[in-house]
Amino acid sequence: GIFDISLFRPIPNLQMLSPASKKDLEICMNWAVYEGKSVILRYPKNVIPNETDEFNVPVEIGRGVLIKPSKNQSKILVVCTGGMYNEVKFAVENSLNTNKIICDIYTLRFIKPFDDNFFKNLVSTYDCVLFVEDGIKTGGISEYLFSLLGTKLQQKSKILAFEDKFYPQGSREEVLECAFLSSKNIESAILELSKC
């Protein structure tokens, strides 16, 4: 399942969504049924995360869902595929509780098509961006979005994704740990970026 984003993104007229929660999946599924086009819905073999009101927003083509865990201004934006939301949420909450680091989360409801201009405007208000993707880095959505960042923001940003290789069999948690994509790895990356 880690190669699908890179494999399917180049296919013309194909749409790919990455819902993060049960409500998000329901909204995306309803949209896909009436869209009348080929749509891929990605969802993980993972525990359903606790719902948040932000996932109730209607589908806007090419746009994701912004979640602000704190009322205070954040300098770090964590951009993730829906399948990594649980790990990201845990890492962001722990970073706030342990190190007082505030991060906002942007879940990629859409992988394709993507609203580039909306995303550029969104990231322009942050000092650092951390991309977390449950797919390989080569040809993935994170690699593409990283290319949209200005040079200055690229220098303070990072991608966490699977490397271009085969991983050993194991539980989801074991595979993520092997690929340095566990919540602890995400939290470490947040701490590293907070020092930039």
Side-chain angles (χ1 to χ4, degrees):
I2 66 173
F3 299 103
D4 62 325
I5 294 175
S6 295
L7 282 169
F8 291 119
R9 273 189 67 238
I11 297 176
N13 303 318
L14 184 67
Q15 302 185 84
M16 187 182 299
L17 282 72
S18 180
S21 73
K22 180 181 176 183
K23 185 64 180 175
D24 199 14
L25 176 60
E26 180 184 326
I27 290 171
C28 290
M29 177 68 83
N30 288 336
W31 176 84
V33 167
Y34 294 103
E35 179 62 5
K37 297 179 182 177
S38 297
V39 179
I40 293 175
L41 289 173
R42 297 184 81 244
Y43 57 91
K45 295 177 181 175
N46 197 11
V47 176
I48 295 172
N50 292 332
E51 289 294 345
T52 179
D53 290 340
E54 286 86 350
F55 289 127
N56 287 316
V57 297
V59 168
E60 291 184 80
I61 296 176
R63 299 183 182 186
V65 178
L66 181 64
I67 299 162
K68 299 172 82 63
S70 172
K71 293 179 180 178
N72 296 321
Q73 179 65 35
S74 170
K75 295 183 177 181
I76 301 174
L77 179 66
V78 183
V79 178
C80 67
T81 49
M84 291 303 299
Y85 174 67
N86 246 353
E87 287 77 15
V88 166
K89 181 175 180 285
F90 185 84
V92 165
E93 288 174 351
N94 214 39
S95 295
L96 179 60
N97 294 333
T98 306
N99 296 302
K100 308 300 181 201
I101 301 170
I102 302 168
C103 302
D104 292 344
I105 302 170
Y106 186 67
T107 64
L108 297 173
R109 181 178 267 176
F110 272 86
I111 291 173
K112 183 184 178 180
F114 199 83
D115 190 332
D116 293 1
N117 290 329
F118 177 83
F119 182 73
K120 287 176 185 177
N121 288 333
L122 175 68
V123 298
S124 67
T125 62
Y126 295 90
D127 294 343
C128 313
V129 182
L130 175 63
F131 296 95
V132 184
E133 178 175 353
D134 54 346
I136 60 167
K137 180 178 178 181
T138 306
I141 185 66
S142 296
E143 188 178 65
Y144 172 71
L145 296 179
F146 186 85
S147 74
L148 297 179
L149 306 179
T151 305
K152 186 177 179 182
L153 191 52
Q154 282 181 344
Q155 293 170 351
K156 295 182 178 181
S157 300
K158 183 173 184 164
I159 298 174
L160 295 182
F162 285 95
E163 293 301 319
D164 191 4
K165 66 179 185 179
F166 292 109
Y167 286 84
Q169 292 286 339
S171 67
R172 174 184 165 82
E173 290 74 22
E174 289 169 337
V175 174
L176 290 179
E177 188 70 45
C178 184
F180 303 103
L181 282 165
S182 70
S183 57
K184 287 183 180 179
N185 296 125
I186 298 167
E187 188 178 346
S188 296
I190 289 171
L191 182 60
E192 180 186 332
L193 288 177
S194 71
K195 296 175 181 177
C196 291

